[in-house]
Every structure is written in structure tokens, then in C-alpha cells.
Amino acid sequence: MSVIHILSIFIIAALLAGVFYLRHRQKRLLQRLGKMLEDAGNGRFQPQLIDESMISSIENSMKRFLADSILSEENLQEQKGRIQTLISDISHQTVTPLSNIMIYSQLLEEELAGTAQEEKVQAIGRQAEKLDFLLKSLVKTSRLETGIIKTQSKENDLWELMESVCEQGRQKAVDKDIDLVFERGEKSLTALCDFKWTREACFNILDNAIKYTARGGRVEISLTAYQLFARIDIKDDGFGMEEEEIPKIFGRFYRSRQAAEQEGVGLGLYLAREIIESEGGYIKVTSKPGQGSCFSVFLPEYK
């Protein structure tokens, strides 16, 4: 065998060995990267000292990325803890002063009944109630946004839920001579939702419907079953709104021009959407100026 043939065989063997070695290193690298990602997903990743001579630059970058991600998560949890403490302090420190203001305003209203000062005292009471509602709404919203409070979805009877919502809003409807109608339907309807928080979301929508419907108007509530969702319709014959305004009404503190004269802080619908979306549902709105609005709440149906 000639020298050239021997040299050729040696070169081919060296190339094959090099290919197998590189493939083996790549396989080992992918296995280590996969293990790092798996540990990070399970919360078991432990950053180690990085030796550039022992691992590839890709592995080095991956370790730095995961280490930074863990640090960011720890900082986020720490910030949530601080926010929770701050929210609790605000809630605790404001409850007593606000309650006292509301009590004293009621006492003053009784003492000054029939005098020229009665209207001013009533205004103080209304503003105190507005401030109380604002603080409570901000506390609930912040707790939901930061994950301090999480909705717990389970099977709930929507008939029972909406009966409770109607009871909450019935007196306001009576005071405005509004006909509040709940069309239950023939069959029982259940959905996966958190009873307490879903009731709050639906009451916020109903409260808006009553608030923005003229005296002597009508508000209808109905339930509909679909294959995957259960729908709650809250329909009014109030002043309605333009189509381009609909996406804005779920923003924080948004108040339309038509609603400017009504009491409110613009947080009710924002909180309602946060609650429903946290349960895997959504809210759809149809409305026309002068023809009222219909808020449809879609919740995952229990099968």
C-alpha cells in the first residue's frame, strides 16, 4: 500500500473522529442546556461558578440568563410583598377615619334637617362615600393585579349568583323607578368561576346600568348556555355610547362625557374585566347612542 493511500486513510479516520467528537460535545451541551431549563422550570436551578475553559459560550450565556431571571423573580416577589404591606396599611389606616366622617355627617344631617346647611352636609356625606368606594376599589384592584388575591374557580350556579347580584342592586333600581327584570330561563346553568368575585364584577356592571339609565327605565338580566361558555347579559335602555368609545370604558378612571354628571370614579368596569379575565372569561359590549347598552359576560361553562 502506497504512502498516499495510508495518508488518505489516516486523514479520513481523523475527520470521522473529529465529526463524532463534535457531535458528542453538541449532544452533551444540549443535554446540559435541557437540564438547566428543566431545573429552572421546576424551581431547582442553582447558578454555579462559570469556567469559560470548561463550557461553551452558549452554555455560559444560558447560565447567566437563567441566573438573571431567578434574580428578577426574587425581586418581583419582594416588591409584591412590599405592595401587600403598603395596601394593608392603607386599608387599615383609612377605615376608621372614613367611618367617623360618614357617621358624623349623618348626625349633622339629622341635626340640621330643614335648615339651609342640610344640603352642604349631604354633600360632605356623598363625597365621603365616594372616597370610601374609591379606596376599596383601589385596594381590590391592586391586590388582583399583584396576585395577592387570586380568583378560585369552581362550579357555581349562575341563577343563585345573579339572584344575589339583583338583590344588591334592587334598592337602587327602586329609588330610580327602574324595572329590574331577571329572566332565569328554564334550565339550571352552571359555570366555572369564583362566586364572590364574579358577583362583584356583575354587580359593578349592573350598578352602572342602573346609574346610567333614566328614571322609569328598564334593566334586563338573562342567562344563555353555549357549548363552551355560559353568557350573562345585562342590558339597559340608557343613553348608550358610540362604538369607538367601547374599548375605553374598561380603562382606569375613564368617565365618558355622558357620565360626567353621575356619581362614580371610573374603576367599576376596570375591576370587572380584571376579575372575569382572571377566571378565563371575557366581556363583550354592544351599544348604540340613545338605544342603551348590553354587557355580555362569558364564563367557562361547567361540564
Side-chain angles (χ1 to χ4, degrees):
M1 185 178 292
S2 65
V3 175
I4 294 176
H5 286 158
I6 295 173
L7 185 60
S8 299
I9 292 172
F10 177 78
I11 292 173
I12 292 172
L15 288 173
L16 289 173
V19 170
F20 284 123
Y21 175 71
L22 288 174
R23 291 189 66 181
H24 178 69
R25 285 198 63 185
Q26 288 176 347
K27 184 178 180 180
R28 291 281 304 275
L29 173 61
L30 291 174
Q31 287 175 342
R32 291 197 298 270
L33 292 177
K35 184 67 167 55
M36 280 191 280
L37 290 172
E38 183 181 352
D39 289 344
N42 295 328
R44 296 195 303 264
F45 177 72
Q46 296 293 332
Q48 301 172 352
L49 292 175
I50 297 173
D51 186 351
E52 291 285 358
S53 64
M54 294 177 62
I55 60 176
S56 69
S57 59
I58 296 176
E59 191 173 3
N60 181 41
S61 299
M62 178 68 76
K63 283 193 174 184
R64 279 202 297 262
F65 170 75
L66 292 177
D68 291 343
S69 297
I70 289 174
L71 183 61
S72 298
E73 179 65 23
E74 290 175 351
N75 290 337
L76 180 61
Q77 293 301 324
E78 184 180 350
Q79 289 176 3
K80 283 186 177 180
R82 291 177 180 174
I83 292 172
Q84 183 177 9
T85 302
L86 178 61
I87 291 172
S88 298
D89 289 343
I90 292 173
S91 178
H92 177 72
Q93 296 296 332
T94 56
V95 167
T96 303
L98 267 175
S99 297
N100 289 338
I101 292 173
M102 293 169 70
I103 291 172
Y104 287 131
S105 65
Q106 291 173 1
L107 293 173
L108 280 173
E109 186 177 348
E110 292 176 3
E111 291 185 11
L112 299 175
T115 68
Q117 305 301 321
E118 182 181 8
E119 186 177 345
K120 296 178 181 179
V121 175
Q122 289 175 344
I124 293 173
R126 287 194 298 270
Q127 292 304 311
E129 291 175 358
K130 183 177 180 180
L131 181 58
D132 182 53
F133 175 79
L134 173 61
L135 287 170
K136 288 179 179 177
S137 297
L138 284 173
V139 168
K140 292 173 185 175
T141 302
S142 299
R143 286 176 172 171
L144 280 170
E145 288 178 341
T146 56
I148 296 170
I149 292 178
K150 294 183 179 179
T151 55
Q152 303 293 328
S153 293
K154 62 179 182 179
E155 181 186 6
N156 278 297
D157 187 337
L158 293 186
W159 285 8
E160 180 184 351
L161 189 149
M162 293 312 297
E163 283 284 6
S164 178
V165 170
C166 288
E167 283 303 311
Q168 285 183 276
R170 199 171 303 281
Q171 188 57 52
K172 287 188 176 181
V174 170
D175 292 342
K176 287 188 69 175
D177 194 25
I178 289 175
D179 191 12
L180 178 58
V181 179
F182 178 25
E183 299 176 359
R184 294 175 54 136
E186 297 179 359
K187 296 182 179 180
S188 177
L189 183 58
T190 59
L192 290 172
C193 60
D194 185 305
F195 190 94
K196 174 186 173 183
W197 284 105
T198 307
R199 180 177 60 186
E200 172 133 8
C202 291
F203 173 71
N204 287 348
I205 296 173
L206 176 62
D207 188 55
N208 267 23
I210 295 172
K211 189 184 299 180
Y212 302 130
T213 296
R215 181 173 294 276
R218 181 181 176 90
V219 175
E220 299 177 4
I221 297 175
S222 59
L223 305 177
T224 308
Y226 292 98
Q227 187 173 1
L228 298 176
F229 286 87
R231 189 180 83 189
I232 303 169
D233 284 337
I234 301 175
K235 183 179 180 182
D236 64 66
D237 57 3
F239 51 71
M241 67 191 90
E242 298 287 349
E243 185 176 353
E244 59 268 18
E245 189 180 10
I246 292 176
K248 301 176 184 178
I249 62 176
F250 293 101
R252 278 187 195 239
F253 305 111
Y254 178 78
R255 303 294 307 282
S256 65
R257 291 189 300 273
Q258 298 96 319
E261 296 180 0
Q262 300 290 338
E263 291 289 334
V265 294
L267 274 176
L269 292 181
Y270 174 82
L271 184 58
R273 186 183 63 176
E274 289 290 309
I275 293 169
I276 299 302
E277 288 185 352
S278 73
E279 297 174 326
Y282 62 96
I283 301 175
K284 181 181 178 182
V285 182
T286 55
S287 183
K288 289 184 178 180
Q291 298 182 30
S293 304
C294 180
F295 284 74
S296 299
V297 178
F298 290 84
L299 294 167
E301 190 172 354
Y302 181 80
K303 297 293 185 181

